[in-house]
Amino acid sequence: MGILHGLMTIIGMAFFFGIVWWAWSKGRAKANEEAANLPFSLPDEEDLDRKNDERG
């Protein structure tokens, strides 16, 4: 049973480090930059309120 737990730990760690490597790879840099700037591309709430007031 201990061998099975050890193998599952090693497999889990390999998956974890694989995902971390993938997320920080050079190919993901542009996608990460776009995702980081998404909140700033939304319109401001004040602008939305102003447009709603103008519509009536």
Side-chain angles (χ1 to χ4, degrees):
M1 205 58 175
I3 293 175
L4 181 62
H5 288 178
L7 287 175
M8 293 304 292
T9 300
I10 291 171
I11 291 170
M13 287 176 63
F15 272 105
F16 174 77
F17 289 122
I19 290 171
V20 169
W21 175 77
W22 169 78
W24 288 91
S25 65
K26 285 185 178 182
R28 297 277 312 150
K30 184 176 180 181
N32 289 341
E33 183 72 26
E34 290 174 3
N37 288 320
L38 276 175
F40 303 111
S41 67
L42 297 173
D44 291 332
E45 290 180 12
E46 294 173 1
D47 293 340
L48 292 176
D49 289 341
R50 207 173 307 131
K51 286 181 184 179
N52 288 336
D53 289 341
E54 291 173 359
R55 291 182 187 167

